[in-house]
Amino acid sequence: QVELVESGGGLVQPGGSLRLSCTASGSIDKIVRMGWQRQAPERQREVVAHITTDNISNYGDSVKGRFTISRDNAKNTVYLQMNSLNPEDSAVYFCHADSTSGNYYYTIAWGQGTQVTVSS
């Protein structure tokens, strides 16, 4: 079993920055990818970014060029640096950990979610 603990959300003004952290514990050997998705009221859950254990990263179109995902394998932690935030980035951000079966990724754990609010 994998457990994820997130931190770093909060209130920030438009144009500001925040950094989210997600630390994994438990059966971490099963994890091949970690990432973030976000959920805003009345909107579909959206892929934000993810990164593999080989440090291959991908981003959702709406955050490309503004957000950066990174990982510290020694700490079993993934970071999401969010810059140039705007109100449309306001959402609950969920960390997830994925394993693989053949060519497919599947999620084995979710974090509890952390609120990010961008407002003046």
Side-chain angles (χ1 to χ4, degrees):
Q1 186 173 356
V2 172
E3 295 185 354
L4 302 174
V5 177
E6 304 158 354
S7 62
L11 173 64
V12 64
Q13 291 187 341
S17 299
L18 280 176
R19 190 178 80 156
L20 306 182
S21 301
C22 176
T23 300
S25 62
S27 301
I28 58 174
D29 57 305
K30 297 181 180 180
I31 300 173
V32 297
R33 186 177 74 174
M34 292 179 67
W36 300 85
Q37 295 185 11
R38 66 186 182 186
Q39 177 78 61
E42 302 181 348
R43 293 173 63 179
Q44 289 187 332
R45 184 168 288 200
E46 179 184 15
V47 171
V48 177
H50 46 75
I51 186 168
T52 69
T53 51
D54 296 330
N55 275 320
I56 298 172
S57 58
N58 282 283
Y59 297 89
D61 288 341
S62 62
V63 306
K64 284 180 181 177
R66 300 187 298 121
F67 291 10
T68 302
I69 191 168
S70 61
R71 64 188 302 148
D72 185 335
N73 289 332
K75 297 181 179 180
N76 301 317
T77 298
V78 171
Y79 304 97
L80 184 68
Q81 177 66 43
M82 305 185 293
N83 298 329
S84 301
L85 286 161
N86 59 64
E88 288 69 39
D89 295 315
S90 298
V92 178
Y93 284 68
F94 295 93
C95 177
H96 62 91
D98 302 336
S99 189
T100 59
S101 177
N103 294 325
Y104 299 98
Y105 290 102
Y106 62 96
T107 299
I108 58 175
W110 288 96
Q112 77 279 8
T114 185
Q115 178 71 48
V116 171
T117 302
V118 184
S119 176
S120 55

